Amino acid sequence: MKIVFATGNKGKLKEAREIFKGHEVLSIKDFANDFNPEEKGDTFLQNAVIKAEAALIHTNEDAVLSDDSGLVVPVLNGDPGVYSSRYGGEDGNDALNRHKLLQEMKGIEDRAAYFQCTAVLLNKDGSAIVKTGKCYGTIGFEEKGTGGFGYDPIFIPDGLEKTMAELTPDEKNALSHRGVAFRKIMEKSQ
Amino acid sequence: MKIVFATGNKGKLKEAREIFKGHEVLSIKDFANDFNPEEKGDTFLQNAVIKAEAALIHTNEDAVLSDDSGLVVPVLNGDPGVYSSRYGGEDGNDALNRHKLLQEMKGIEDRAAYFQCTAVLLNKDGSAIVKTGKCYGTIGFEEKGTGGFGYDPIFIPDGLEKTMAELTPDEKNALSHRGVAFRKIMEKSQ
């Protein structure tokens, strides 16, 4: 089966291709250069659906894949959540996002958090499979490590004493919330 | 399995209970009297997801069911679509909606249309099954029949020479776009 992934992110594409073995995973950028739907949903699932439906409009293929991901901190009422990539401001970046989160967490003892990825495999006939992957951990007190991206330098996965940014790519992939969601979709779509 | 259906509509509940035999189908009204999430999505799927997620928040059950339905007229760029129930105005009703549609279709030869239902079975773990049912037909030139509701008196299902409102309840149920979507979900969730 051909699957069009509603992302231009090369890291995500690589991850999807490794998991959806036996299928041809294409990027939406091969179909629409200006693909950039407004992620106006209130939840990861709503945003993943918005991306999948937008991608379906641009392709003539049978199936599109999308995901929406972020970091959830329960003590902050779920923030940064769907705003993870713009938490430090609309024109923000990873460093500003992390800085804001460390500021918000100052003096807070309950540092539990998790990365969540909700993935959608949407078919032209209006059917879909939705799966969610989570990676549980805690928010550190300072940045550590230079690998990964986003909140990785301040996220310590449960059972480890290193941040996500201190792991090797293979170690990180084994924990990946996106990988968990993709593998669950792969199993269900057989 | 207990399934909470995100609707207070007794007709829909009855239909769901007949199809999801062997499961206990409850109404969200048993959990939250004021359940009325804002259906601000651009598509049936987006609205069905909004309703399912809102219902999940109000229950402690493992699974919720939701649907969003409407009449799609391709020659009108898909209208009334997600606005089917408020096509004649925010304070509109079935008669106003039908009146507006007949006005919009005046002089238009291509009268093809379909009812669509997109249904979502969402689980607490963030996984979901989505299925879509459609019932194809044409828009008549005047209202006929007194059964059914909504656009039934001006919708003639393909292969028939009567409007949906002239069918017996059993005849209508056999064609139901909602029934098709629910049966597909039932099969997939086994």
Side-chain angles (χ1 to χ4, degrees):
Chain A
M1 180 168 69
K2 265 192 198 169
I3 301 170
V4 180
F5 190 6
T7 188
N9 182 305
K10 286 178 185 171
K12 284 193 191 182
L13 262 176
K14 187 167 174 275
E15 195 169 2
R17 282 178 177 142
E18 282 165 6
I19 291 169
F20 290 91
K21 274 177 189 153
H23 299 285
E24 187 182 353
V25 180
L26 304 169
S27 166
I28 187 64
K29 296 285 179 186
D30 300 336
F31 296 83
N33 247 320
D34 57 346
F35 182 78
N36 192 23
E38 189 191 350
E39 299 177 25
K40 58 185 177 183
D42 295 326
T43 63
F44 296 120
L45 176 53
Q46 288 170 29
N47 280 335
V49 162
I50 286 169
K51 285 185 255 188
E53 292 192 309
L56 206 55
I57 288 170
H58 287 291
T59 75
N60 232 339
E61 306 300 335
D62 287 334
V64 297
L65 176 71
S66 70
D67 81 297
D68 199 51
S69 312
L71 179 66
V72 178
V73 183
V75 77
L76 299 180
N77 293 318
D79 281 346
V82 290
Y83 306 104
S84 289
S85 62
R86 44 194 153 127
Y87 190 51
E90 279 300 327
D91 300 320
N93 55 41
D94 286 355
L96 284 173
N97 293 338
R98 290 192 298 265
H99 178 74
K100 176 163 182 197
L101 183 56
L102 286 180
Q103 288 297 116
E104 296 286 335
M105 295 293 286
K106 250 189 185 160
I108 295 180
E109 273 186 33
D110 174 6
R111 305 188 75 85
Y114 58 88
F115 280 116
Q116 175 171 339
C117 169
T118 295
V120 172
L121 184 69
L122 176 65
N123 298 293
K124 216 190 322 197
D125 70 357
S127 64
I129 300 168
V130 175
K131 292 289 177 185
T132 291
K134 290 182 180 175
C135 174
Y136 292 91
T138 50
I139 304 300
F141 291 90
E142 56 183 348
E143 300 199 6
K144 281 185 189 169
T146 55
F149 59 94
Y151 296 92
D152 288 351
I154 58 172
F155 182 84
I156 302 157
D158 281 349
L160 299 181
E161 285 172 12
K162 299 191 245 190
T163 70
M164 201 77 127
E166 293 176 294
L167 303 181
T168 66
D170 280 353
E171 285 173 325
K172 183 183 162 182
N173 283 343
L175 291 175
S176 161
H177 47 303
R178 194 172 292 108
V180 171
F182 285 173
R183 278 189 290 271
K184 285 182 182 175
I185 284 204
M186 178 71 180
E187 282 163 26
K188 192 79 182 179
S189 66
Q190 295 299 308
Chain B
M1 181 167 68
K2 264 192 198 169
I3 300 170
V4 180
F5 190 5
T7 188
N9 182 305
K10 286 179 185 170
K12 284 193 188 183
L13 261 176
K14 186 167 174 276
E15 195 169 4
R17 283 180 176 143
E18 281 165 8
I19 291 169
F20 290 90
K21 273 178 191 153
H23 299 285
E24 187 182 353
V25 180
L26 304 170
S27 165
I28 186 64
K29 296 285 179 186
D30 299 334
F31 296 82
N33 248 321
D34 57 346
F35 183 77
N36 192 23
E38 190 192 350
E39 298 178 26
K40 59 186 178 183
D42 296 326
T43 63
F44 297 120
L45 175 52
Q46 287 170 31
N47 280 337
V49 162
I50 285 169
K51 285 185 255 188
E53 292 193 310
L56 205 55
I57 288 170
H58 287 291
T59 75
N60 231 340
E61 306 300 335
D62 287 335
V64 296
L65 176 72
S66 70
D67 81 298
D68 200 50
S69 313
L71 178 67
V72 178
V73 184
V75 78
L76 298 180
N77 294 317
D79 281 347
V82 290
Y83 306 105
S84 290
S85 63
R86 44 194 154 131
Y87 190 51
E90 280 299 328
D91 299 321
N93 56 41
D94 286 355
L96 284 173
N97 294 337
R98 290 194 298 265
H99 179 74
K100 176 163 181 196
L101 184 56
L102 285 179
Q103 288 298 114
E104 295 286 334
M105 293 295 285
K106 248 189 186 160
I108 294 180
E109 274 187 33
D110 174 5
R111 305 188 76 83
Y114 58 87
F115 280 116
Q116 175 172 338
C117 168
T118 294
V120 173
L121 184 69
L122 175 66
N123 299 294
K124 217 192 318 197
D125 70 356
S127 64
I129 300 168
V130 176
K131 293 289 176 186
T132 291
K134 290 182 181 175
C135 174
Y136 291 92
T138 50
I139 304 299
F141 291 90
E142 56 183 348
E143 302 199 5
K144 281 185 190 168
T146 53
F149 60 94
Y151 296 93
D152 289 351
I154 58 172
F155 182 85
I156 302 157
D158 282 349
L160 299 181
E161 286 172 10
K162 299 192 243 188
T163 69
M164 201 78 128
E166 294 176 293
L167 303 180
T168 66
D170 279 353
E171 285 172 326
K172 184 184 162 182
N173 283 344
L175 291 175
S176 162
H177 47 303
R178 192 171 293 110
V180 171
F182 285 173
R183 277 188 292 270
K184 285 182 182 174
I185 286 203
M186 179 71 180
E187 282 163 26
K188 192 78 181 180
S189 66
Q190 296 300 308

